[in-house]
Amino acid sequence: MTCEPSPAPARPTKTVVRADVLEWLTCTPLDARHAVVASLPDYGELPEHAVAPWRVWFTRVADAIFAAAHPSSPVVFYQSDVRHAGTWIDKGFLVQQAAERAGAALLLHRVVCRRPAGTITGGRATWSHLLLFSKQLRCSRRFTYADVLPDGGPRVWVRGLGLVSCQEIVKMIRQESACGTLVHLFAGKGLLLEVAREQGLHTVGVDLS
């Protein structure tokens, strides 16, 4: 009798979809296996949008994300505030308004430093909101998290997620849920998809480019 070697475990899959996020959400059902991560662009990344219509668009997309996510799944937002015409646009606040409309609770609110503390900037904030929501999940008391990450880690592009931020997002999803697939909306260069795959999660990235 010949003993056959055990097959190697299958590598988690990665699917990249070139599509408008709103359109994709309306035609793609998400279930309890799917954790959702989003980093919505600001008006500077969408040159065709003035600030007022951009805010309407931002609110519409945030509402659609909470509506599409399964009640027992985590929903993570990574957002950086921006300055416009002498005022701040707080994207974390806009996301939390959408969460309240959807009946989702804020489980974790963490701050990620994009530049060293004390750095002076004229436009984009030097830190980002890292927000974890869910309608039904509640954080386990087995795990604790740093409220402030002093360095988000190296980035593939200037406005993208840093490596440390990606690792922390994956850790939160794995520790706080049983989801096996990470869905990254506005996936950009896809660094989070690769980090999640290395940690054993299937991944789906959605972006127009």
Side-chain angles (χ1 to χ4, degrees):
M1 174 176 146
T2 303
C3 294
E4 296 293 333
S6 300
R11 179 168 170 76
T13 59
K14 179 175 76 171
T15 303
V16 177
V17 181
R18 184 175 183 180
D20 177 86
V21 167
L22 269 176
E23 293 177 0
W24 186 85
L25 286 172
T26 60
C27 64
T28 308
L30 301 177
D31 57 34
R33 297 169 297 175
H34 298 102
V36 181
V37 181
S39 183
L40 277 62
D42 59 52
Y43 72 93
E45 295 173 71
L46 301 173
E48 69 275 21
H49 288 170
V51 171
W54 167 84
R55 287 178 70 105
V56 173
W57 173 86
F58 189 103
T59 298
R60 183 183 175 198
V61 175
D63 286 343
I65 291 170
F66 281 110
H70 191 274
S72 65
S73 293
V75 181
V76 178
F77 282 86
Y78 180 90
Q79 301 291 168
S80 302
D81 299 340
V82 291
R83 193 190 299 270
H84 172 73
T87 65
W88 280 103
I89 299 174
D90 188 337
K91 289 192 281 183
F93 173 68
L94 297 178
V95 170
Q96 292 193 60
Q97 286 183 311
E100 288 192 2
R101 288 191 292 269
L106 177 61
L107 308 186
L108 290 170
H109 187 171
R110 308 175 70 186
V111 169
V112 181
C113 295
R114 301 174 57 253
R115 294 185 184 177
T119 300
I120 297 174
T121 179
R124 192 175 180 87
T126 58
W127 57 276
S128 298
H129 303 272
L130 180 53
L131 308 169
L132 172 65
F133 299 91
S134 182
K135 293 177 182 177
Q136 294 181 354
L137 283 177
R138 294 298 179 264
C139 282
S140 168
R141 296 192 177 187
R142 294 182 298 157
F143 306 108
T144 56
Y145 303 90
D147 292 331
V148 178
L149 299 176
D151 185 356
R155 291 168 285 180
V156 178
W157 75 297
V158 66
R159 294 186 178 180
L161 284 161
L163 179 60
V164 174
S165 300
C166 292
Q167 293 167 339
E168 289 295 317
I169 289 170
V170 173
K171 182 170 73 173
M172 290 190 302
I173 290 171
R174 288 179 60 86
Q175 291 184 165
E176 304 298 343
S177 77
C179 294
T181 299
L182 183 150
V183 178
H184 190 192
L185 308 175
F186 306 99
K189 299 288 186 179
L191 178 61
L192 177 59
L193 304 180
E194 292 303 321
V195 172
R197 286 181 78 204
E198 290 297 326
Q199 296 298 317
L201 295 177
H202 299 291
T203 59
V204 178
V206 185
D207 208 323
L208 271 177
S209 175

